[in-house]
Amino acid sequence: MSFTIKSSRQRHKTSIRSPQNFRGPQLGGSVDFAILGPVRVLDSGRPVRLPAKPRAVLSTLLLHPNTVVSKDRLIMSVWDDPPRSARSNLQNYVSLLRRAAIEVETHEQGYRLSLDPARLDLLAFGDAVGQARRQAAVENAAEALRLFEQAFLLWRGRPAEGVLLGAAVTPRISELEEQATSARLDWIDLRLWSGRHGELVSELTALVEATPLSERLWHQLMLALHRAGRRAEALETYRRARSVLVSELGVEPGQLLRDLHAAILDDAPLDLPAQGRVVLSPSVPPPAPKGGERKGTGWTGACLLPADVADFVGRDRESRAMVKALRGADGRAEARSAAPPIVVVSGPPGVGKSTLAVHVSHRMREHYPDGQLFVRMDGASPSPRDPADLLAELLRALGVDGSTMPAATEARAALYRARIADRAVLVLLDDAGSEAQVQPLLPGTSRSALVVTSRGPLPMLAGATALMLDVPSHADARQLLAKVAGAARVESAAEAAETIVRACGRLPLALRIAGARLVTRPAWPLTELAQRLMDGSACLDELRSGRLSIRRPFAMSYATLSAEARRAFRAFGHLGVDGVAAWSIGALLGEPAGVVDHALEELAAAGLVTADEIDGAAQPRYRMHDLLLRFASELSAAEEGKERRSASLGRLAAEALDRVTAASWELPQAVAPPREGVRTRTTSPLAEGHAWLLAERAVLISIIEATAGAGMVSLATDLAYAFSVFGTVRGFHDDTGHVLDTVIRAARRRGDTDTEMRARLVRADVEIDRRRSRTVESELRALVTHFESVADRHAGGYALVGLASCRIAAGDLTSALSDASKALSSFRSVGDAHGLLLAWMVVVGAQVYQARYDATERTCHRALKVATDDKSRVHRAGFLRCLGIACYEMGRVEEAIGHYQASLDISRELQWPKGERMALRRLGEAHAALGRFDRAEGMLQECMEMFARAGDEQGEALTAYALGEVFRWNGDERRALEYFTVCQARLGSHSDRVWRTRTEHQIACSLTALLKPSP
């Protein structure tokens, strides 16, 4: 039997090897691959070198062999934060793979790499393990052992080791590692059965050190030690295993581990059957009888559970966790401890806690045959039920006559525990309000179990398995809507269905209500409901059907809160952002940190916010579901007066401005004159700085929008200016442009021309930083004219600097230098060092284009003498880079490298990605000029990827140009032509004329060299 591999260059015919001759992939004769460790690609036995991103695309395809991988999945696998050009980049990377004779197939939805086990170690491993397990099943131990050994020779490390992949790939790599772990445990069992105990001890010792919570590994190590005659060490191993499990998980070792320990203590014989499982002698006694009526007790098991829902969807992980926790009290085996298993299912209103609890409780009925009890506790209502009443309800269900019911809660609890003692009963308490409400209803013995649903996590229930429910996945949410409203109807209007799922925030209750409305109106198109739900003001009104209303559970939870917690809840609605830190709520409330902390803790306990996230600035982050946010916004508008809301917003904006100023202490001011009366930069910098700004970015944008909308134009403008510097430096140009547009419109509405025009200056600079000078040149001309007309030389200087930058991009260097000279005069007259540095940078740019490198060097040294304080570090990095350019062009390459490296270090310290990219490109060029080609290529490839991620096509083009020069200097004219051509494509027809001309010249030189006949 054979198969044919078609290549773009040749065809190969290769035989499929039988399992008996299996040796893993035979790399050679075609393009072969290895992914179980560092990625290897061999073409006819020779390594194939690939750039980093194509290598990441290939690795993703190899991790999913013979499977169509969608373009979206590939993009998320290659980039955590995909650039706008991700799809076109992906096509380029696939083309590069094909040029390397890697046969990537194109399908409608994505790409596939078709391989067989002879060409990919991952497939070879799976085949070998499958064969080994089949051989073990027929007791061919020798062949099974050989196959297992051959399989694990293929593992050389973590899958795709050394390849920079997105977080989307992590679950697949974990899945492969889990499969390998499972196979290794089977292999170890087989070797134990084969009597290889001595050789396994060291291997198992290393494995338990790496995975100390695996009871199966501890069991195997104990068994290997005992059968190797090392009984004392086996007993010491049990002691260590128990210590780890108790300290890390709070649980005793499982039954199998305890039984082996007892057998070793008693020196009982241990027999190993063919499948490798341990059999103890004597055997464990049989369990007590189960189910039905028990002789002499008068007991009859009753099921009081509500009906399971027929359209239950998803929740597989949570269901498995619940089942695992509840199986621990199965009456057929000795319980782990005397305490009953407890599972607490918590989450926000409407997330499906009760549905999940009832569903799993029905699945567990055979494990609790003596009864399944159920009570509603109304814990989320303003009047939670009294534990005494709940106990009375349960006791009546257990057959206790009302006339003999004890009066005291303690007595009822004692009778309840006595009635279910030594019986396998499952108790489901729905909607518990607190631990105090639950405590009297706890079973007294380990054979019964308790499931509790609550909006808060009930952390004081000792030993409970806590499950915090989030909204289901998008696929499960869509499936739930389809089950309620009808699959055919949902599929026929897929886009509208997606809108409904998004508008409902994937909240199960909201989806059920939406589905119910569709069922009651079968002729109603889904688009109608989708449009209504997208209307923010009416969304909650639309989520109502009969007695079901999304507001009802929200209102019930809100009604139970204290006054401060209610204010905090409304504050979320005022801000309209789901993820906030405590400082913003504190500023809105005007309360000290302690009061705010207690209010947020109460909201978390009520399930109205989640508090399980720490952001990059080490702040706890509180999140609220979108529909709850809408409800909070309604309450904020209804219960807070206009003056009170305005005061809250003013406090928040002022606090935000203080914090942004403190966090931006290393960054320059905005590209406009400082506004009069604006607070000076804080003398106490915020240590978390950039991390805090990143974490609070969405909140800051929301505050600027809110203050501008409320007419607080000055405050909004100050905050927008402070935000714009960070946003531009970190590459958040869209966000920066948005907030500046917001304050420009607000100033225009108020007739504040001065604020509007100065904000337009900062806005134009954002576009210049994005290399979009052509789009703002006319705007800057208008701004120059305006500031001249009102005799504002200071603001006019900034406008001239911006206009000069545009003229450099257009090649008009004479006009650029004239504008910069006028700006320098204006800045000197007002003593604005920041403005001087901006103008000098324009001068340096023009001098570099004019090849006046001695003048460039003088200007840079002059500027560096001024750029000495912390807020000038961005400028300093720029002038050091330009100084390096001047030294490089004058032949002082080592000196240039020093300046480039200093610029790169400052840029990285400031987390300024644009500065880092530009300095790294220049550094790579300089190393190449000194013949350090491998080092230069690595730097420039990294740099090119950085430009591609940022969507900076000109930067990508110039880096490709530099790579072309590297390959030319290294004697590879064909690769040089390839990169010069990439540069030409990235530059486009509207880019810098100077660089287009240079690139065309280099392409011509490459073609001439390649067409020249060999001597």
Side-chain angles (χ1 to χ4, degrees), residues 657-711:
L657 182 57
D658 282 342
R659 288 173 177 264
V660 174
T661 303
S664 305
W665 63 279
E666 290 184 300
L667 301 178
Q669 69 184 52
V671 185
R675 283 171 32 80
E676 292 184 12
V678 176
R679 53 175 55 82
T680 57
R681 187 179 301 274
T682 179
T683 56
S684 302
L686 187 65
E688 294 79 10
H690 290 260
W692 184 88
L693 288 163
L694 282 172
E696 300 294 349
R697 183 161 59 102
V699 173
L700 295 172
I701 292 170
S702 178
I703 295 170
I704 294 168
E705 291 173 337
T707 48

Side-chain angles (χ1 to χ4, degrees), residues 579-664:
V580 300
W583 72 267
S584 54
I585 301 298
L588 283 167
L589 299 183
E591 297 288 354
V595 173
V596 174
D597 188 57
H598 284 300
L600 289 171
E601 187 174 320
E602 188 176 344
L603 291 180
L608 297 174
V609 299
T610 59
D612 56 354
E613 178 186 344
I614 300 293
D615 64 27
Q619 302 174 120
R621 206 133 198 102
Y622 299 89
R623 297 197 177 275
M624 183 178 285
H625 188 272
D626 287 349
L627 294 177
L628 273 168
L629 270 177
R630 291 179 188 270
F631 182 67
S633 182
E634 286 184 351
L635 293 175
S636 177
E639 299 186 24
E640 306 276 354
K642 184 177 180 180
E643 290 185 5
R644 189 171 178 179
R645 285 169 59 84
S646 180
S648 296
L649 184 57
R651 284 195 304 270
L652 176 62
E655 177 72 13
L657 182 57
D658 282 342
R659 288 173 177 264
V660 174
T661 303
S664 305

Side-chain angles (χ1 to χ4, degrees), residues 313 315 348-353 355 469-472 476-477 480-481 484 504-515 550 625 627:
V313 170
R315 301 296 192 194
V351 81
K353 303 179 293 294
T355 302
L469 287 197
D470 198 354
V471 293
D476 286 345
L480 175 58
L481 179 65
V484 178
C504 291
R506 309 202 309 269
L507 193 69
L509 177 59
L511 288 165
R512 288 189 179 279
I513 294 172
I550 198 66
H625 188 272
L627 294 177

Side-chain angles (χ1 to χ4, degrees), residues 541-558:
D541 293 329
E542 296 297 329
L543 289 174
R544 181 176 57 194
S545 178
R547 296 179 61 188
L548 282 176
S549 168
I550 198 66
R551 281 196 181 90
R552 183 173 180 273
F554 293 174
M556 287 176 61
S557 293
Y558 178 75

Side-chain angles (χ1 to χ4, degrees), residues 56 114 118 279 285 419 547 576 614 619 696 731 755 765 806 925 1012:
S114 295
V279 174
R419 290 290 291 178
R547 296 179 61 188
I614 300 293
Q619 302 174 120
E696 300 294 349
T755 296
D765 181 69
C806 295
E925 289 176 340
K1012 184 178 179 180

Side-chain angles (χ1 to χ4, degrees), residues 143-197:
E143 182 63 13
L145 287 169
R146 188 186 69 79
L147 286 164
F148 270 128
E149 183 177 1
Q150 291 294 332
F152 279 98
L153 286 174
L154 298 172
W155 279 79
R156 299 166 291 110
R158 185 173 172 82
E161 188 175 303
V163 179
L164 187 61
L165 293 167
V169 184
T170 302
R172 173 59 176 162
I173 292 176
S174 299
E175 177 188 3
L176 295 177
E177 291 179 323
E178 182 61 31
Q179 291 173 3
T181 299
S182 175
R184 182 175 288 275
L185 292 173
D186 290 346
W187 184 25
I188 291 170
D189 277 343
L190 188 63
R191 283 184 283 169
L192 284 170
W193 180 82
S194 302
R196 300 185 182 183
H197 310 100

Side-chain angles (χ1 to χ4, degrees), residues 270-393:
L270 301 174
D271 297 321
L272 286 166
Q275 63 266 41
R277 292 181 60 193
V278 177
V279 174
L280 300 176
S281 179
S283 62
V284 177
K290 294 175 56 180
E293 183 174 322
R294 301 200 173 203
K295 185 175 180 180
T297 66
W299 177 277
T300 302
C303 178
L304 304 183
L305 297 174
D308 195 4
V309 294
D311 54 9
F312 187 84
V313 170
R315 301 296 192 194
D316 294 335
R317 180 184 61 82
E318 295 89 346
S319 296
R320 287 195 300 271
M322 288 185 68
V323 168
K324 180 179 179 181
L326 294 172
R327 282 184 186 274
D330 190 342
R332 293 171 299 182
E334 182 184 341
R336 291 181 182 177
S337 71
I342 304 172
V343 176
V344 178
V345 184
S346 60
V351 81
K353 303 179 293 294
S354 300
T355 302
L356 173 65
V358 169
H359 176 72
V360 173
S361 295
H362 275 286
R363 286 179 56 186
M364 298 302 298
R365 284 186 63 192
E366 72 171 86
H367 293 274
Y368 296 94
D370 296 327
Q372 303 85 43
L373 307 179
F374 174 87
V375 287
R376 287 189 174 87
M377 307 184 77
D378 296 338
S381 73
S383 303
R385 297 182 65 189
D386 189 275
D389 297 334
L390 295 168
L391 285 165
E393 182 177 331

